[in-house]
Amino acid sequence: MKKLLFITTWDFSDGPSVGITKKIRAQIKAFENNGFDTAYTYISNNIFYVCENNQPMALGKVGKLRKLVANYYLYQYTQNKKYPFVYSRYGLADLFYFKTLKQLYKNGSVNIIEIPTYPYDDERLPGIKWWLLYALDKLWRDKMHPYVYRIATYSRDKIIFNIPTIEIKNGIDFDMVTARKPKDNGDEIHMLAVAGFTKAHAYDRMLVGLGQYYQNGGMRKIVFHLVGAGEPENEYHNIIQEYHIEEHCIFHGVKCGEELDQIYDCCDVGVESLGYFRIGVKISSSLKSREYAAKGLPFITACKSDMFEDEEYILQIPADESPVNISDVVNFYDRLYNGKSKVSIACKIRKEAMAKCDIIQTMKPIVVCFEEVDRSEP
């Protein structure tokens, strides 16, 4: 089999962004299904691991500067390693990430880097740690191009960091996502947001919209379920208190497995990112849109999609700071569900989504690119 190293410094411990962990595991599975003997790296419980031949090996503790320390261990581990193919999920560049790519290239690797969000500079979180990480990234990212064959991107950019790109689409493993079993909520509308909350999710727009809807005499009972955690959560609670909409909002915390499935079953409409414009993203390839569709859940979004276009089960709202017009949400729900079976609608959405965004399909451009280049011999 063809040997491949999948590099990531993502934390596989359960947390607010467990969906990304599932996506990475699905990509690894897709490589293996296409004949690649795949080793991979990851962080779990503050330790950086490499897993080869299904045997995890601890490389060391990572501490607070997780990515920097993990990349140091990665550099040490790969000094005498030969992998014909390397796929790296980008987590910001630094000296040791750069040196790792360089030495893998010299050892005969074809390096492809996936950048999950581009551009990403506006995603920087506050604090000296993140300032340092982004400063290092800007120093090293433009030096990578001699050693990287392609950048895999969900954007429409043809060149990133002086490296030609491959345009890819986000996918998920449908074998790992069960179809929802919709419950009858009568005339009530239950909305669901599942995320590691960031400013790009902009759920403040939905909360202000709900507040204004009830201030203006809105009568329909609407409940907004928020599953996850993140920095904007305090802002969300402040908005809820300001508009006195506590009975219309439920914070479930981080959920997964059967607990999350049960919440999906209780909800009628998903809420995807409502604020990608805040970080400069114009075309969405979000993992959450795929998950909602795989669950059979119609959803609301404020960004054009690379995969979904003009589907009846998607409500497109303006990509600006205006509060969500809840009357539009009510009309969307009524048009979609009135007089129809919620179960049949969920099945239809899932079936259509499977043909578009199953991970086996979406990873094909990467597999083809690797197969077209033979640098197995250094």
Side-chain angles (χ1 to χ4, degrees), residues 106-339:
K106 289 184 175 180
N107 288 342
S109 298
V110 178
N111 293 320
I112 294 180
I113 293 175
E114 173 193 323
I115 298 185
T117 302
Y118 186 83
Y120 58 82
D121 286 338
D122 289 340
E123 286 192 323
R124 178 168 64 86
L125 296 173
I128 186 66
K129 181 184 80 169
W130 288 102
W131 180 89
L132 172 62
L133 290 173
Y134 274 73
L136 289 172
D137 178 67
K138 289 181 179 179
L139 177 64
W140 291 104
R141 65 192 184 188
D142 289 328
K143 303 179 188 295
M144 299 187 302
H145 62 88
Y147 313 112
V148 178
Y149 181 64
R150 292 289 186 271
I151 294 274
T153 179
Y154 302 105
S155 71
R156 301 290 170 86
D157 297 89
K158 303 301 182 185
I159 300 287
I160 296 176
F161 308 149
N162 294 316
I163 302 166
T165 64
I166 311 168
E167 186 177 337
I168 60 173
K169 293 179 170 58
N170 241 333
I172 59 174
D173 184 354
F174 273 71
D175 292 339
M176 301 299 293
V177 181
T178 58
R180 52 190 285 268
K181 302 177 180 66
K183 294 187 177 179
D184 185 3
N185 294 318
D187 200 37
E188 298 178 4
I189 299 175
H190 287 250
M191 301 185 297
L192 172 64
V194 184
F197 305 145
T198 68
K199 67 178 183 179
H201 291 104
Y203 297 141
D204 51 287
R205 296 183 62 198
M206 180 62 75
L207 294 170
V208 173
L210 276 172
Q212 293 182 352
Y213 175 74
Y214 288 111
Q215 274 188 344
N216 295 327
M219 299 299 293
R220 195 73 166 266
K221 183 171 182 181
I222 301 170
V223 181
F224 188 21
H225 298 257
L226 294 105
V227 176
E231 187 182 5
E233 195 167 343
N234 287 336
E235 178 190 0
Y236 297 164
H237 283 290
N238 290 337
I239 295 170
I240 291 167
Q241 291 175 4
E242 178 184 351
Y243 285 98
H244 307 291
I245 53 173
E246 288 85 354
E247 65 181 291
H248 299 282
C249 302
I250 300 175
F251 286 83
H252 294 272
V254 177
K255 299 294 181 183
C256 59
E258 290 185 8
E259 285 187 303
L260 181 56
D261 287 339
Q262 290 172 4
I263 299 171
Y264 265 107
D265 292 346
C266 292
C267 294
D268 313 292
V269 177
V271 183
E272 205 234 348
S273 173
L274 305 181
Y276 271 136
F277 60 89
R278 292 177 175 176
I279 59 171
V281 175
K282 296 181 180 180
I283 304 293
S284 168
S285 186
S286 81
L287 195 60
K288 191 53 56 184
S289 65
R290 276 71 166 160
E291 182 176 315
Y292 287 155
K295 295 293 288 186
L297 189 70
F299 59 90
I300 303 164
T301 184
C303 190
K304 291 184 178 180
S305 172
D306 64 338
M307 187 168 287
F308 301 107
E309 186 175 2
D310 298 328
E311 279 81 1
E312 64 178 359
Y313 54 85
I314 298 175
L315 174 62
Q316 187 88 34
I317 67 171
D320 57 35
E321 295 290 353
S322 62
V324 176
N325 186 329
I326 300 300
S327 294
D328 289 343
V329 176
V330 173
N331 292 335
F332 172 65
Y333 172 93
D334 289 342
R335 173 171 50 82
L336 194 64
Y337 285 119
N338 279 0

Side-chain angles (χ1 to χ4, degrees), residues 45-156:
N45 297 317
N46 209 38
I47 296 174
F48 187 58
Y49 289 90
V50 61
C51 184
E52 194 152 7
N53 299 319
N54 294 319
Q55 296 296 318
M57 182 174 69
L59 299 183
K61 293 183 179 179
V62 293
K64 292 183 178 180
L65 293 176
R66 304 161 68 78
K67 296 177 185 296
L68 292 176
V69 177
N71 284 331
Y72 168 77
Y73 291 136
L74 178 67
Y75 172 63
Q76 294 295 324
Y77 177 76
T78 56
Q79 280 195 17
N80 298 310
K81 295 288 184 178
K82 291 188 178 182
Y83 295 96
F85 307 100
V86 175
Y87 190 77
S88 176
R89 179 183 169 90
Y90 196 66
L92 301 178
D94 57 53
L95 171 62
F96 289 107
Y97 182 74
F98 168 79
K99 292 177 75 171
T100 297
L101 293 174
K102 182 177 179 179
Q103 73 182 3
L104 284 168
Y105 174 85
K106 289 184 175 180
N107 288 342
S109 298
V110 178
N111 293 320
I112 294 180
I113 293 175
E114 173 193 323
I115 298 185
T117 302
Y118 186 83
Y120 58 82
D121 286 338
D122 289 340
E123 286 192 323
R124 178 168 64 86
L125 296 173
I128 186 66
K129 181 184 80 169
W130 288 102
W131 180 89
L132 172 62
L133 290 173
Y134 274 73
L136 289 172
D137 178 67
K138 289 181 179 179
L139 177 64
W140 291 104
R141 65 192 184 188
D142 289 328
K143 303 179 188 295
M144 299 187 302
H145 62 88
Y147 313 112
V148 178
Y149 181 64
R150 292 289 186 271
I151 294 274
T153 179
Y154 302 105
S155 71
R156 301 290 170 86

